Amino acid sequence: MNTLIHLENIVREYQMGEEVVRALRGVTLSIEPNEYVAIMGPSGSGKSTLMNIIGCLDTPTSGQYFLEGEDVSDLDDNELAEIRNKKIGFVFQTFHLLPRYTAVRNVELPLIYAGVPADERYERAVAMLAKVGLGDRLFHKPNELSGGQRQRVAIARALINNPSLLLADEPTGNLDSRTGTEILALFDELWRQGNTIILVTHEPHVAQHANRIIHILDGQIQKEESKTSSIPV
Amino acid sequence: MMQRTLNILAEFGESIRIATAAIAANRVRSLLTTLGVVIGVTFVVLMGWFLDGLDSAWEHTISNLGYEAIYIHKFDWTGRTPWREARKRPPITIRQIRTAMTQLTLAERAYPRGNAWGQTVRSADNSIGGIAVIGTTSDNDWEVANSIEAGRFLAPIEDLTASYVAVLGYNVWQELFPNQNPLGQTIFYRGKKFRVIGILKKRGTLISDWGDNSVYIPFRVFQLLHSTNFSNYTLVVKAPSQALLPEVTEEARMVMRKVRNLAPWEPDNFSINSIDAFEQQVRTIRIAIWGIGIGMTGLSFLVGIIGIMNIMFVSVVERTREIGLRKAVGAKRRAILLQFLIEAALLSTAGAVIALLLSQGAIAGAKFLLFPGDLDFTASIIPPHLMGIALLVAVLVGILAGFAPALRAARLDPVEALRYE
């Protein structure tokens, strides 16, 4: 009953001109709280579509999606926005920070749409930036930060509203390997603190950090690997 | 409910911050975009400012003439009776006026007046042309009761004895006696010497300044100075109150018809002029200004709306990824819509503020540089209600212009928007 995510035979089709493209062809999947899951697959496999649906950015053509027991497969735009705001934290490959905003303001963003008063927003954003190791970069704008620091700001933003789920799409894709390792270490740490993390990646060494790896191919789950514990502590 | 209010407040504050940042980031572009609004608001403000002035000038004129008086004259002052036709009317003679005066029973007062236009009067050192010399009696004092600068108006005895005394309008004494006290001085008119017994305050405006370019002399003197076929005489009839004016007017009409021997089937061969007639003229000016103004304003607002709409569409495209991100972290359609509407409204309001500054500059320039003194009937600062209207109109224009782009932004699919390059 306390399953975090339950996907039931999810199908997602796109109309591309005359053709119907079936990006997902019946995916059934459950994820429990505090799991650390990697979704792997080559480009075009449907892993991005799956991530969009899990992240409530998109809705399935058919099938059902229960997030914390609530059916979210048929919600409208505004209801989905509210779910995303409260339950999902996104981390993107390209960071998606607002260039004119300082780190604090970027992190505050989800709280604005949650209606949190300004002073509380600020305090929480400062605390969260300190938590991801950017306590001394509060008022820097994205172009004054390194790639790794930018991704930390994005992670702080993802965590700011205490989401049930952290959804990271190729979070190390735009980083050099050393910085990438640091970011992955941060994810490991967040998982140990009790967060549920889903990583979407095509790099096996990134997926190795998870304790469950789901391989997607041609819109279906090809295979799953489980590990008793995640790597290196 | 509480939470919803908080949400909207937070979104509103955020929207204003985004909008100011976005406008500040593209200053030149924003400025050019608002050009239409700037021109439109400038028109509205200047038009309103002038009409406001016109209204107060009009009130001023009324205080000069008064609602209780009628002016029976050969010509219709507003041209309702065509001039060609009125010209054929027999002149109103002094004899007719005197007879009529004895027969009027309802009027508070009735007295004759002669107007000679385009006259020249001189002092020892100066002269002024193009003025009106008005021959009238002491009964005319009510018209200038509030306008005596110094001295006094004509006295009854001065008319009876045909004294050579004069009361000078503002421009006349300013011109003839620039640095002296005019009272007791001598002016020359038609070869005769007149003693100045009174001077008047400035009463006129750009629209009608004849009051300032006139000289009052006793009616009998006026009569002596003009030939017997001078025909520009007026019978002024004043009612005890405005309410009684229709009855007084009707009696005056009957008396005049009798005095001028009109048969019952013949139309009036004189005109009864009243303040209403002027009022219509002012109304015509107002309508003309509004007509031109509204046309110009409408056009510039249309340009303004198109300009802002265009730039907002550009802005939405430029910020597609930002919109995607905002939606991903929980911005609802309403929040995005609000963001772009506020940006458009702020852009437009910025234009209005520029326009207000421009208008204020134009007003100061017109009043003090181009027509010093002539625009005294207008305010020197934009009236607050006009500022309010200008800002309100600007906000409306912004919302109107921003609506379609904002709606497009609000409806963007977050997945597509995040992926946008």
Side-chain angles (χ1 to χ4, degrees):
Chain A
M1 212 34 230
N2 56 3
T3 298
L4 178 63
I5 287 170
H6 180 67
L7 300 178
E8 186 67 46
N9 202 23
I10 294 287
V11 173
R12 182 65 169 101
E13 294 171 346
Y14 295 100
Q15 193 75 39
M16 297 279 270
E18 296 283 285
E19 252 178 291
V20 175
V21 177
R22 302 190 77 196
L24 292 178
R25 312 168 174 233
V27 171
T28 298
L29 171 68
S30 289
I31 294 172
E32 303 301 321
N34 200 23
E35 274 199 88
Y36 193 168
V37 182
I39 297 175
M40 280 198 75
S43 57
S45 60
K47 67 180 193 301
S48 291
T49 306
L50 182 60
M51 189 208 78
N52 289 338
I53 285 173
I54 291 174
C56 289
L57 288 165
D58 196 5
T59 47
T61 310
S62 69
Q64 278 184 305
Y65 172 16
F66 296 91
L67 179 61
E68 293 188 322
E70 183 188 355
D71 187 351
V72 296
S73 13
D74 274 326
L75 298 184
D76 70 22
D77 233 34
N78 287 333
E79 291 164 328
L80 288 174
E82 202 167 330
I83 300 269
R84 290 195 294 268
N85 183 252
K86 293 204 171 103
K87 299 193 172 174
I88 297 163
F90 290 97
V91 178
F92 301 97
Q93 178 176 1
T94 51
F95 321 133
H96 277 302
L97 298 177
L98 300 185
R100 282 196 293 264
Y101 283 16
T102 61
V104 172
R105 297 265 291 113
N106 265 292
V107 174
E108 276 184 40
L109 206 59
L111 297 181
I112 286 169
Y113 297 113
V116 175
D119 40 356
E120 186 189 335
R121 284 203 305 259
Y122 177 78
E123 278 167 31
R124 280 168 65 178
V126 169
M128 193 53 77
L129 279 166
K131 194 176 162 187
V132 297
L134 286 178
D136 56 346
R137 293 285 187 276
L138 298 179
F139 304 109
H140 287 59
K141 292 187 176 168
N143 62 6
E144 298 159 346
L145 297 170
S146 70
Q149 289 171 331
R150 289 182 206 183
Q151 196 58 300
R152 281 171 197 269
V153 174
I155 291 167
R157 180 180 65 197
L159 292 170
I160 191 73
N161 209 15
N162 300 317
S164 322
L165 170 66
L166 200 56
L167 201 51
D169 183 12
E170 303 278 10
T172 59
N174 270 21
L175 302 173
D176 62 62
S177 64
R178 219 191 83 207
T179 319
T181 309
E182 283 170 22
I183 293 296
L184 287 170
L186 179 58
F187 276 114
D188 296 344
E189 173 65 24
L190 291 170
W191 169 68
R192 272 192 297 275
Q193 289 169 6
N195 289 288
T196 311
I197 298 171
I198 300 181
L199 279 178
V200 177
T201 183
H202 65 276
E203 292 180 278
H205 79 271
V206 173
Q208 285 310 311
H209 284 257
N211 50 21
R212 182 177 167 198
I213 302 174
I214 297 163
H215 293 267
I216 303 282
L217 193 67
D218 297 332
Q220 282 173 319
I221 294 176
Q222 190 196 24
K223 62 173 181 180
E224 262 195 49
E225 302 169 50
S226 273
K227 288 184 285 174
T228 43
S229 87
S230 176
I231 30 161
V233 180
Chain B
M1 188 58 215
M2 183 63 194
Q3 189 54 43
R4 203 179 148 77
T5 312
L6 276 179
N7 277 352
I8 290 174
L9 275 181
E11 286 164 17
F12 201 81
E14 172 74 2
S15 298
I16 287 181
R17 273 192 300 268
I18 301 166
T20 44
I23 292 170
N26 299 298
R27 273 187 214 95
V28 175
R29 189 173 89 179
S30 307
L31 195 73
L32 291 175
T33 302
T34 59
L35 210 58
V37 174
V38 170
I39 296 169
V41 169
T42 306
F43 268 125
V44 169
V45 168
L46 290 181
M47 197 166 75
W49 164 75
F50 190 76
L51 289 178
D52 262 23
L54 196 64
D55 285 345
S56 70
W58 173 234
E59 270 167 39
H60 203 78
T61 311
I62 290 172
S63 73
N64 278 344
L65 295 176
Y67 273 110
E68 309 93 38
I70 54 173
Y71 300 81
I72 300 172
H73 191 245
K74 180 174 163 181
F75 291 103
D76 190 324
W77 293 353
T78 56
R80 261 176 307 190
T81 311
W83 183 77
R84 278 166 184 286
E85 213 171 288
R87 203 172 48 163
K88 295 181 204 142
R89 293 169 169 175
I92 295 176
T93 63
I94 297 167
R95 184 183 299 275
Q96 286 169 3
I97 289 174
R98 296 275 184 216
T99 313
M101 279 164 62
T102 60
Q103 294 183 12
L104 291 166
T105 58
L106 299 173
E108 180 202 287
R109 54 177 82 179
Y111 55 93
R113 207 154 91 166
N115 275 26
W117 302 100
Q119 304 296 302
T120 301
V121 295
R122 293 189 296 110
S123 64
D125 306 317
N126 300 299
S127 88
I128 179 169
I131 62 147
V133 171
I134 300 166
T136 188
T137 71
S138 58
D139 279 332
N140 198 78
D141 60 355
W142 64 274
E143 234 186 58
V144 294
N146 299 321
S147 310
I148 302 282
E149 170 81 28
R152 57 174 175 82
F153 196 66
L154 306 170
I157 189 77
E158 285 161 340
D159 183 43
L160 290 171
T161 61
S163 309
Y164 283 77
V165 292
V167 176
L168 307 186
Y170 180 82
N171 290 349
V172 178
W173 64 265
Q174 286 280 317
E175 197 73 28
L176 296 184
F177 305 103
N179 297 309
Q180 319 161 41
N181 180 3
L183 295 182
Q185 303 269 16
T186 304
I187 64 162
F188 302 90
Y189 172 57
R190 299 214 160 195
K192 302 287 183 190
K193 291 181 182 178
F194 288 76
R195 187 165 49 89
V196 177
I197 56 164
I199 53 174
L200 301 180
K201 290 179 189 154
K202 185 160 176 57
R203 298 189 291 164
T205 62
L206 185 64
I207 302 147
S208 68
D209 65 348
W210 56 268
D212 294 326
N213 290 315
S214 49
V215 171
Y216 294 86
I217 60 173
F219 186 74
R220 280 176 207 277
V221 175
F222 186 91
Q223 217 181 316
L224 289 173
L225 293 177
H226 289 91
S227 67
T228 43
N229 46 13
F230 180 85
S231 62
N232 200 357
Y233 290 113
T234 307
L235 170 58
V236 183
V237 180
K238 187 170 182 290
S241 71
Q242 203 189 332
L244 288 173
L245 190 64
E247 289 162 51
V248 171
T249 305
E250 211 36 49
E251 190 198 32
R253 180 194 306 281
M254 289 306 147
V255 168
M256 279 307 284
R257 288 182 63 89
K258 201 166 76 189
V259 165
R260 285 163 74 84
N261 296 315
L262 287 177
W265 58 86
E266 285 179 294
D268 291 352
N269 60 2
F270 52 89
S271 287
I272 298 180
N273 297 292
S274 68
I275 205 99
D276 284 344
F278 287 113
E279 212 155 45
Q280 278 190 340
Q281 269 185 325
V282 170
R283 219 173 288 143
T284 313
I285 297 174
R286 279 191 78 101
I287 290 169
I289 295 173
W290 271 112
I292 299 166
I294 285 183
M296 302 287 249
T297 312
L299 208 64
S300 22
F301 277 130
L302 194 68
V303 172
I305 288 175
I306 292 169
I308 291 176
M309 194 183 292
N310 181 52
I311 217 70
M312 290 308 295
F313 272 125
V314 171
S315 181
V316 169
V317 170
E318 282 176 350
R319 281 145 73 189
T320 301
R321 278 160 59 92
E322 176 189 327
I323 296 163
L325 185 271
R326 285 179 186 276
K327 293 196 119 185
V329 301
K332 294 182 181 173
R333 286 186 173 188
R334 177 190 71 203
I336 303 291
L337 191 77
L338 197 67
Q339 171 186 337
F340 283 93
L341 279 185
I342 285 179
E343 184 171 330
L346 220 59
L347 203 57
S348 178
T349 308
V353 170
I354 294 171
L356 285 174
L357 294 174
L358 280 180
S359 308
Q360 186 58 63
I363 287 171
K367 274 183 82 89
F368 302 113
L369 298 175
L370 293 178
F371 313 104
D374 281 341
L375 286 167
D376 282 353
F377 62 93
T378 56
S380 3
I381 290 176
I382 301 168
H385 74 272
L386 280 178
M387 293 193 197
I389 290 173
L391 293 175
L392 195 73
V393 167
V395 169
L396 285 178
V397 163
I399 289 173
L400 216 60
F403 199 75
L407 205 61
R408 177 186 285 187
R411 286 183 176 163
L412 279 177
D413 171 30
V415 175
E416 298 284 326
L418 282 168
R419 219 187 277 149
Y420 186 84
E421 297 285 336

